[in-house]
Amino acid sequence: MTKISHNKKPLRLSTVVDHAILVIGALVMLFPVYLALTTTSHDNITLSREGLKFGFGDQMGVNFYTAMFEKGGFTEQIDGTKMLINSLILGIGFAIGKIVLSMAAAYAIVYFRLRFATFAFWIIFTTILLPLEVRILPSYEVVTGLGMANTYAGLIVPLLASATGTFFFRQFFLSVPEELVEAARIDGAGPGKFFIDILVPLSRTMIAAIFIIMFVYGWNQYLWPTLITTDESLFTLVRGIKQITQSVYEGNTIPEYGQAWALAIIAMLPPVLIVIFFQSWFVKGLVESEK
Amino acid sequence: MKRAAFSQPLMPVALLLPQLVIIAVFFYWPAWEAIYSSFFLQDPFGFGSNFVGANNYTRLATSSEYAKVAGFTVFFTVIVTVLSLGTALLLAVKADKVVRGAKTYRTLLMWVYAIAPPVAGFLGALLFDQNIGPITDLFAFFGYNLQIGLNYNDTAFAMIVVSVWKQIPVNFIFLLSGLQSIPVAVREAALIDNKSGTRRFWDITFPLLAPTAFFLLIINITYALFDTFGVIDIMVKGNPASNPITLVYKVYTDGFRGSDLGGSSAQSVVLMVLVLALTVMQFRMLERRIHYT
Amino acid sequence: MATVSVTDISKTYPNGAQAVHPASFDIADGELIVLVGPSGCGKSTLLRMVAGLEDITTGDLHIGARLVNNLDPAERDIAMVFQNYALYPHMSVAKNMAYGLKNRGASKEQIVAKVDEAAEMLSLTALLDRRPSQLSGGQRQRVAMGRAIVRDPALFLFDEPLSNLDAKLRHQMRVEIRNLQRRLNVTAMYVTHDQVEAMTMADRIFVLNAGRIEQIGTPSEIYRKPASTFVASFMGAPPMNLLSAQSVGGQVQIGGVALGLSCADGDVTVGIRPEQVAVTQGGTIPFKLTLVEELGASRLLHGTVAGQDFVVNAPNDDAALADDLMLDFAPDALHLFDAQTGQRL
Ligand SMILES: Nc1ncnc2c1ncn2[C@@H]1O[C@H](COP(=O)(O)OP(=O)(O)O)[C@@H](O)[C@H]1O
Ligand SMILES: [Mg+2]
């Protein structure tokens, strides 16, 4: 990024205003999550009696421990650790499934002489037109009919029925110079060798970028897991939020704010950390995949 | 296709097959089912269904409840789109302009992208909590009693705040990358041609951002229509009947709670048509984008 | 090392475009032939058919004694250097060169020996561990050459290998490629749109125009006896002057001045190279000067002869020039072409 050099006057009013706006923006983004963090550090009785705290208490360890390792708080049979594992299975399973399926399909469409390539292209790309949400009820019936309700496969596979990844990899493969596959063919590489030796290593950044996008997308799924997993042992953290809110807001006892927010924090943490630490890949993946 | 494409006949079929099978089973079949069952009415006792023609659709067209939900959806979509795009534009322009701390600001303004909508809804529920929520307290200080989940308008207000908050990062990322892709030479030329920063923005920067903004418009509409489901589901607190909901939420409640399969399917089909129209618009924009870039 | 024999080879793309019309030719062992012609004339298509990267629509292609029409590129015993080099960006220089050998099942020692030898030959030894992105354009070009050399191919194919280099490097690499090809004594087909490259490198030049081979010949044949107005104007810089003329009573004349050539009556095209025209007081052909271009050793005089554009390449004697000059054409420097077909008469 090259910037036009600015005047080096020490303090200009407009610069101060610019920074003020950005700082306020950043604080607005942070504030709710900060409050959620402080909430996890107090015990429930204090919170109910004295209202929300802006400072940290000493109950954070207890609350996280209870949320992660004790069953029967919000749900009957599952603790936070199991939900975390389920979330990881969904996030990673979805991301890997998406990458494998869409790379394979894009490879076939771009690198093979295939009579029905255009037809396959349209069959796949029509799926961009209709998000899962608009066909949610029949999808539920189909998956249940196949006996896939309350299975990991039923959780993950139907989410894979969309073309975003394929479109992304197709664009990328098309941008790879034609001569590369030609050089490889002269070097004696067949389709399998070319894919593994050349194309996959070349796509590493793209794969990383799409992995991050898809992991976050999978991890954050809510509606579909809510429908298709009624067995608590398959609950993800995000799916569990519903149970948690219900017990906080619809129960009669003292709301268990501390544990509830400990779980919610765990539900936010992995995707947020990934997005922050792999920021450049993430931004690349997002901006490129939506093109 | 590459010009020196491989000509093995079976390999590409094998490569395409998994994706095609999954799409056939989990996309085309359900989509077809939705269209098909929108012409049937479910027997209330579950003993099968009767063909009712376009009845489910006329039922929708004449339902005042459906009209109310549709009205709220439009209102909600417009407000969320305008507010989140506007705020993000302001932040992106500033983040693009500042020299010091640009990277830090970028990180601080985009990480919320990774928060799931229902978790955002839960954060909203905390902020607007009846007993301990700081925003509720703030309103109380001014003498207004906010009642999320109980008062229709209050809930709508909270939903909008949360949905906008959650959507700012995406808009910010795209607008910032749009701003940064404006060539330095163009900025410098503008700097020479025009003294006023505001005029430079409206005359040069904004038109160059237009393709990104058009595209974001579609993204935001899609977000408000579909992705806010989690926010809404948490914030109505199990009581959708007396709270504001969107069309997608109604598909869900009618289908799963009301067991009105035909009606829910008809609503699905209406939404499909809507999304189709949006996508066609998007492709039109895409074509136009080529002119700009 | 091998001969190449091409019989009635042609290419029609699936969209119906006929890029190469049936062509036949033979290439001798160790010969370097250059395919030259304007962009889009079918040079690459022809080369790529030989490489096996495009299907051959009709005709036969033999490399050595083998009919290779239906063989994969890797089985044709060829190596190719591309305009953009097509190096594998994620592999080191050494790996780039080794990849083809590895796929052919060569042993580790063989690969190392081959790669080292080629690197030595191309002064790449110090760069073997670098990635292509860490190399200059000229170095990348060398790696592409190295990748071709290590395979010991029967036939080298080059598709505009120097077009991405600056003028100075281009000249240097031209000489280097020629030397290398001689030293290795490998048959080579070299595609370029640059007539200087063609003239300086080729044993024989194939001039292509709109999918047809217009002429095959040594550089000097092409220069001295162009087979058509197309070849005449494409080869040589500045290009040959082509003037519309008439043959009256068996004598060819321009603007009423007889040129001392005879042919059947009618319209003809007369060609003469700018460097074979003399400016003399005693000349017979009037020339109107409009612009002088200084080249140092010589200068280009732009103007008209009988109302038609004409260029003279005259020695630079620093003399002041009048606007109206007289030119002298030696009759044996003149070329006659059919005015309609452009074919040499
Ligand atoms: N894959 C293709 N499909 C259709 N036409 C092509 C294809 N490749 C090249 N052509 C056409 O064939 C002609 C010759 O192309 P090419 O051999 O690349 O020319 P050159 O290398 O001499 O510039 C051109 O008119 C070009 O447009
Ligand atoms: Mg070419």
Side-chain angles (χ1 to χ4, degrees):
Chain A
M1 272 174 295
T2 350
K3 295 255 174 190
I4 298 166
S5 58
H6 291 246
N7 291 352
K8 282 283 187 282
K9 278 184 215 155
L11 261 187
R12 288 202 315 182
L13 183 62
S14 72
T15 314
V16 175
V17 172
D18 290 349
H19 282 278
I21 289 173
L22 289 167
V23 168
I24 291 171
L27 288 179
V28 168
M29 287 290 139
L30 269 171
F31 179 67
V33 177
Y34 173 79
L35 273 189
L37 267 174
T38 62
T39 303
T40 62
S41 70
H42 296 278
D43 65 54
N44 300 325
I45 301 179
T46 315
L47 284 170
S48 301
R49 202 168 347 130
E50 299 171 20
L52 216 54
K53 299 282 192 183
F54 292 88
F56 283 94
D58 55 3
Q59 296 294 306
M60 196 178 256
V62 177
N63 280 329
F64 271 95
Y65 185 87
T66 318
M68 292 308 285
F69 300 108
E70 271 178 25
K71 290 178 189 173
F74 307 108
T75 58
E76 299 303 315
Q77 317 148 9
I78 188 168
D79 57 24
T81 316
K82 187 75 200 324
M83 286 202 259
L84 177 69
I85 291 170
N86 286 338
S87 282
L88 285 172
I89 291 175
L90 175 55
I92 295 173
F94 175 73
I96 291 178
K98 195 85 183 184
I99 288 169
V100 170
L101 286 177
S102 51
M103 270 187 103
Y107 186 52
I109 290 174
V110 175
Y111 279 98
F112 285 84
R113 218 164 286 174
L114 194 61
R115 195 141 355 111
F116 63 96
T118 320
F119 179 66
F121 180 89
W122 283 111
I123 289 280
I124 294 173
F125 290 108
T126 313
T127 60
I128 294 183
L129 303 182
L130 300 177
L132 181 61
E133 283 85 353
V134 311
R135 53 191 159 86
I136 192 77
L137 191 62
S139 294
Y140 172 79
E141 309 232 301
V142 164
V143 174
T144 313
L146 293 172
M148 289 167 76
N150 287 316
T151 63
Y152 286 115
L155 187 58
I156 296 171
V157 178
L159 292 171
L160 295 171
S162 120
T164 42
T166 313
F167 200 65
F168 178 84
F169 280 111
R170 175 181 168 268
Q171 294 297 94
F172 175 68
F173 290 166
L174 286 175
S175 77
V176 171
E178 297 258 3
E179 288 82 358
L180 226 46
V181 62
E182 298 176 353
R185 289 190 66 183
I186 291 174
D187 271 342
K193 253 192 160 45
F194 173 71
F195 187 71
I196 289 165
D197 289 350
I198 316 277
L199 203 57
V200 170
L202 265 184
S203 316
R204 268 183 313 207
T205 323
M206 291 292 147
I207 294 174
I210 209 85
F211 184 90
I212 290 168
I213 301 287
M214 294 302 166
F215 173 80
V216 172
Y217 183 87
W219 179 284
N220 285 348
Q221 280 303 305
Y222 177 67
L223 175 55
W224 182 247
T226 302
L227 295 179
I228 212 66
T229 56
T230 45
D231 174 356
E232 290 188 358
S233 64
L234 284 156
F235 277 15
T236 63
L237 286 162
V238 174
R239 161 74 174 92
I241 288 288
K242 182 69 174 273
Q243 255 58 26
I244 295 166
T245 35
Q246 275 168 5
S247 74
V248 169
Y249 291 109
E250 290 155 32
N252 306 320
T253 49
I254 298 171
E256 295 179 322
Y257 291 114
Q259 286 95 307
W261 280 103
L263 277 182
I265 295 285
I266 301 285
M268 290 183 231
L269 215 53
V272 166
L273 290 182
I274 284 184
V275 160
I276 289 175
F277 283 115
F278 302 104
Q279 201 179 129
S280 58
W281 280 346
F282 158 70
V283 171
K284 185 183 173 72
L286 190 66
V287 176
E288 304 262 323
S289 70
E290 298 284 8
K291 264 184 184 156
Chain B
M1 194 187 78
K2 300 282 176 183
R3 52 185 190 207
F6 295 108
S7 49
Q8 279 81 346
L10 289 181
M11 194 158 179
V13 177
L15 288 169
L16 274 168
L17 212 57
Q19 171 117 68
L20 289 177
V21 167
I22 287 178
I23 283 176
V25 175
F26 299 108
F27 179 88
Y28 283 102
W29 184 7
W32 164 249
E33 285 285 325
I35 297 170
Y36 181 80
S37 49
S38 73
F39 296 104
F40 287 82
L41 192 63
Q42 219 68 14
D43 187 286
F45 303 105
F47 291 130
S49 51
N50 304 315
F51 180 78
V52 292
N55 238 352
N56 289 323
Y57 291 95
T58 45
R59 208 148 47 91
L60 281 188
T62 53
S63 153
S64 65
E65 196 202 338
Y66 190 72
K68 187 180 171 194
V69 173
F72 176 74
T73 306
V74 171
F75 169 77
F76 177 78
T77 304
V78 171
I79 292 274
V80 168
T81 302
V82 169
L83 289 183
S84 66
L85 257 180
T87 316
L89 181 61
L90 176 69
L91 293 170
V93 167
K94 297 304 177 195
D96 181 52
K97 207 170 137 207
V98 297
V99 183
R100 237 165 282 158
K103 272 208 135 148
T104 316
Y105 285 128
R106 190 179 87 160
T107 310
L108 287 173
L109 290 168
M110 59 159 251
W111 62 278
V112 165
Y113 172 89
I115 294 180
V119 179
F122 193 33
L123 284 167
L126 179 70
L127 292 175
F128 291 93
D129 188 286
Q130 207 57 60
N131 304 315
I132 63 172
I135 298 185
T136 315
D137 289 350
L138 188 71
F139 273 74
F141 179 79
F142 290 106
Y144 185 82
N145 185 18
L146 261 184
Q147 291 185 303
I148 306 308
L150 295 173
N151 180 308
Y152 184 95
N153 291 333
D154 292 355
T155 313
F157 171 70
M159 276 177 188
I160 289 169
V161 170
V162 173
S163 302
V164 169
W165 178 79
K166 165 85 187 93
Q167 184 64 358
I168 286 173
V170 180
N171 291 328
F172 174 78
I173 292 166
F174 276 96
L175 289 169
L176 185 61
S177 93
L179 283 168
Q180 287 173 345
S181 67
I182 296 176
V184 178
V186 172
R187 294 168 182 234
E188 287 176 346
L191 211 55
I192 291 166
D193 286 343
N194 209 328
K195 197 161 137 28
S196 151
T198 322
R199 284 215 62 92
R200 278 203 303 274
F201 178 78
W202 292 112
D203 290 349
I204 312 292
T205 315
F206 192 72
L208 286 172
L209 266 186
T212 312
F214 275 140
F215 160 78
L216 280 176
L217 205 63
I218 308 275
I219 294 280
N220 279 279
I221 294 172
T222 316
Y223 164 79
L225 284 177
F226 302 114
D227 300 344
T228 51
F229 180 91
V231 175
I232 295 169
D233 194 33
I234 298 301
M235 299 198 82
V236 296
K237 296 186 177 164
N239 185 13
S242 56
N243 277 307
I245 56 169
T246 58
L247 288 171
V248 164
Y249 202 84
K250 193 164 163 52
V251 171
Y252 165 75
T253 49
D254 287 4
F256 286 95
R257 299 200 179 168
S259 302
D260 178 7
L261 188 61
S264 169
S265 296
Q267 293 180 36
S268 281
V269 174
V270 170
L271 279 176
M272 287 185 195
V273 173
L274 197 66
V275 181
L276 232 62
L278 277 176
T279 312
V280 170
M281 249 172 83
Q282 190 173 0
F283 276 120
R284 285 270 168 84
M285 299 301 181
L286 231 62
E287 274 168 27
R288 212 175 307 167
R289 264 156 74 88
I290 295 164
H291 289 288
Y292 288 100
T293 46
Chain C
M1 275 163 282
T3 58
V4 176
S5 166
V6 169
T7 321
D8 286 332
I9 207 172
S10 78
K11 174 73 188 182
T12 307
Y13 278 110
N15 67 1
Q18 182 154 21
V20 174
H21 294 272
S24 302
F25 53 86
D26 291 300
I27 303 173
D29 195 9
E31 193 179 22
L32 190 157
I33 68 117
V34 172
L35 302 173
V36 70
S39 175
C41 69
K43 312 178 290 289
S44 295
T45 304
L46 186 51
L47 193 77
R48 293 162 54 77
M49 281 196 285
V50 175
L53 296 172
E54 297 287 354
D55 293 334
I56 294 169
T57 310
T58 66
D60 285 341
L61 170 67
H62 288 85
I63 298 178
R66 285 194 304 167
L67 177 68
V68 299
N69 279 38
N70 296 316
L71 291 187
D72 259 3
E75 296 166 344
R76 294 190 181 193
D77 204 8
I78 50 140
M80 184 153 169
V81 178
F82 296 88
Q83 176 171 352
N84 65 6
Y85 317 134
L87 300 178
Y88 310 122
H90 59 291
M91 294 185 190
S92 67
V93 168
K95 290 235 170 72
N96 259 285
M97 294 205 262
Y99 188 61
L101 293 176
K102 209 177 111 208
N103 286 340
R104 280 206 263 173
S107 73
K108 274 227 159 60
E109 300 78 54
Q110 269 177 310
I111 293 178
V112 170
K114 282 270 177 210
V115 169
D116 283 349
E117 186 192 341
E120 187 73 30
M121 219 183 285
L122 293 158
S123 332
L124 287 170
T125 312
L127 307 175
L128 280 176
D129 291 327
R130 294 223 194 146
R131 295 277 178 91
S133 58
Q134 300 166 308
L135 301 176
S136 71
Q139 291 167 335
R140 282 179 214 182
Q141 218 286 327
R142 278 166 209 271
V143 178
M145 292 283 302
R147 184 167 64 179
I149 290 173
V150 293
R151 319 192 51 204
D152 275 334
L155 177 62
F156 259 153
L157 303 172
F158 298 88
D159 195 350
E160 315 231 7
L162 306 182
S163 296
N164 286 1
L165 299 179
D166 63 43
K168 196 168 157 212
L169 259 178
R170 196 148 59 207
H171 181 241
Q172 187 190 329
M173 286 308 296
R174 209 158 77 197
V175 177
E176 215 166 297
I177 290 179
R178 186 62 174 138
N179 282 337
L180 215 56
Q181 186 263 342
R182 287 261 163 77
R183 182 139 59 110
L184 300 168
N185 196 27
V186 186
T187 316
M189 291 176 78
Y190 187 107
V191 162
T192 179
H193 64 267
D194 178 351
Q195 52 96 14
V196 179
E197 242 168 78
M199 293 297 281
T200 52
M201 298 181 74
D203 289 319
R204 275 191 303 157
I205 295 175
F206 291 34
V207 184
L208 271 77
N209 181 25
R212 292 176 208 278
I213 299 181
E214 290 254 340
Q215 186 172 8
I216 299 180
T218 64
S220 84
E221 280 166 2
I222 298 278
Y223 181 77
R224 288 182 211 291
K225 294 190 100 177
S228 64
T229 49
F230 173 81
V231 178
S233 59
F234 190 77
M235 302 299 289
M240 182 184 282
N241 293 299
L242 293 171
L243 298 168
S244 306
Q246 291 76 39
S247 176
V248 180
Q251 288 297 309
V252 178
Q253 28 179 280
I254 289 176
V257 183
L259 297 176
L261 275 177
S262 53
C263 78
D265 281 7
D267 288 346
V268 290
T269 301
V270 172
I272 182 156
R273 298 218 175 258
E275 53 274 22
Q276 293 178 327
V277 177
V279 181
T280 73
Q281 302 279 244
T284 51
I285 298 149
F287 175 70
K288 258 196 183 337
L289 181 68
T290 51
L291 178 78
V292 179
E293 239 184 307
E294 295 287 351
L295 297 180
S298 67
R299 51 188 175 187
L300 294 185
L301 315 181
H302 294 265
T304 55
V305 163
Q308 305 178 50
D309 287 342
F310 198 91
V311 177
V312 179
N313 191 346
N316 195 349
D317 50 11
D318 283 333
L321 290 165
D323 282 354
D324 289 291
L325 299 169
M326 295 308 280
L327 305 178
D328 193 25
F329 299 169
D332 58 351
L334 291 173
H335 307 261
L336 272 187
F337 302 99
D338 187 301
Q340 265 79 53
T341 64
Q343 294 303 304
R344 186 178 192 89
L345 292 174

